Amino acid sequence: MKNLHTKLQALFPVGELTLQRPNLGFVTVPKDHLRATLMHLQRTEGFTHLILLTAVDWLEEGQFQLTYLLCNRTKQLDLGLRVMIAREGASMDSIHDVWPTAATYQRELREMFGIDFPGSPHLNEEFILEGWNDIPPYRRDFDTKKYAEANYNQRPGRQTHDPATHMKQQLYPEGL
């Protein structure tokens, strides 16, 4: 993995390598260099499989972190490329032409985080949240409790319990 990182550093402005285990590492790549880095990894380094594309909302920093997790099955290596993008007007180039499966991930990220991937097929069609008209629910500023209270009726007679006390009563009904 360290040899691969050295090769990438010679070609692209990638960040430091963070090893999670010997065959899994992560590097940060500037947004403008992501496509070229992905293409190199796919065509030259054998990372032919896109395992995952996901996002993290760094609300306090005003950024999203996109993570593209790639696999080289022959060498049994997984490499994650992290890209930081502005949260305001969040947009990233689509990679569905490189890995067609990325279109599904990009649709999900569009719907759940509000990140745009211009040119990605079916991006603006409802996918998971049919009829949704609020801010994307995976954004950290989405208030789940407020949304639930406004949209779901409280059932009469429903009681809530302190979890710790409730479990003690369930496990030790006679107060042992």
Side-chain angles (χ1 to χ4, degrees):
M1 187 66 74
K2 290 180 182 178
N3 290 339
L4 174 62
H5 182 246
T6 301
K7 284 184 194 178
L8 290 176
Q9 281 185 313
L11 299 169
F12 307 102
V14 298
E16 293 301 312
L17 176 65
T18 302
L19 281 175
Q20 296 295 318
R21 55 182 188 263
N23 64 342
L24 172 63
F26 291 87
V27 294
T28 301
V29 178
K31 178 181 178 176
D32 296 341
H33 294 274
L34 176 70
R35 177 173 278 277
T37 308
L38 289 172
M39 300 291 283
H40 173 80
L41 287 166
Q42 183 192 55
R43 295 178 180 171
T44 307
E45 302 297 339
F47 286 85
T48 57
H49 184 66
L50 174 68
I51 297 172
L52 176 70
L53 169 54
T54 191
V56 176
D57 184 358
W58 295 102
L59 177 64
E60 294 81 4
E61 287 83 17
Q63 294 184 316
F64 286 119
Q65 173 187 308
L66 296 176
T67 301
Y68 298 76
L69 187 59
L70 310 176
C71 177
N72 178 326
R73 290 178 176 157
T74 305
K75 294 182 180 177
Q76 297 181 344
L77 293 176
D78 295 330
L79 180 64
L81 301 182
R82 295 180 296 221
V83 178
M84 304 305 287
I85 62 171
R87 199 171 180 275
E88 187 68 34
S91 182
M92 186 64 197
D93 294 336
S94 176
I95 61 160
H96 73 277
D97 57 318
V98 180
W99 283 286
T101 55
T104 303
Y105 293 118
Q106 291 170 167
R107 284 181 73 187
E108 180 183 10
L109 293 177
R110 169 76 171 95
E111 201 163 275
M112 304 306 272
F113 286 93
I115 301 169
D116 194 22
F117 293 89
S120 188
H122 311 290
L123 189 67
N124 294 315
E125 296 175 13
E126 289 182 341
F127 184 52
I128 300 167
L129 304 173
E130 296 177 10
W132 187 262
N133 57 8
D134 210 324
I135 69 170
Y138 281 6
R139 285 183 174 237
R140 287 190 41 224
D141 51 349
F142 175 74
D143 190 335
T144 306
K145 184 174 187 284
K146 181 180 173 185
Y147 181 84
E149 289 171 349
N151 291 282
Y152 302 105
N153 295 329
Q154 293 297 315
R155 295 188 307 230
R158 183 174 183 174
Q159 298 176 354
T160 59
H161 303 279
D162 170 57
T165 304
H166 179 72
M167 288 309 297
K168 281 181 186 177
Q169 288 172 347
Q170 295 298 309
L171 294 171
Y172 310 105
E174 298 180 28
L176 299 174

